[in-house]
Amino acid sequence: MTLVILAQITAAEGKEELVRNALEKLVEPSLKDEGCIRYDFHRDNENPAYFVFYEIWETRDLWLKHMDTPHLAAYKSATEGAVADFKLNELTRIS
């Protein structure tokens, strides 16, 4: 059964572009991670500080492996103190 991830990131005031650039750098390497089916990056049309990833992974274990990759560590380091809010939901598709 696949795992769907909804990650919601809000940049701190004045840090919108820093966070956007760091998040955008996650897309290419994440799509190459084992088990990644989909890795879509979005920005809210009315709130430039609000970003969303919609991800689909083959399994939760493979997603957890992704969470421990060098590109995620680099993102965390680059955005330390620049993220005002972060929410993550693990979802199961019903239909």
Side-chain angles (χ1 to χ4, degrees), residues 13-70:
E13 188 174 338
K15 302 292 185 181
E16 298 87 355
E17 290 309 307
L18 182 151
V19 172
R20 177 185 180 261
N21 291 333
L23 290 169
E24 199 163 23
K25 289 177 184 176
L26 291 174
V27 175
E28 187 177 332
S30 296
L31 284 168
K32 295 176 184 175
D33 285 343
E34 181 183 4
C36 182
I37 298 169
R38 186 172 199 143
Y39 202 83
D40 296 339
F41 179 45
H42 305 271
R43 186 180 209 171
D44 188 274
N45 291 339
E46 295 189 20
N47 180 358
Y50 181 74
F51 304 93
V52 173
F53 277 105
Y54 175 79
E55 310 170 27
I56 302 177
W57 293 87
E58 288 178 12
T59 67
R60 186 172 193 274
D61 286 341
L62 290 173
W63 171 70
L64 288 171
K65 186 176 174 183
H66 156 76
M67 294 301 291
D68 197 30
T69 57

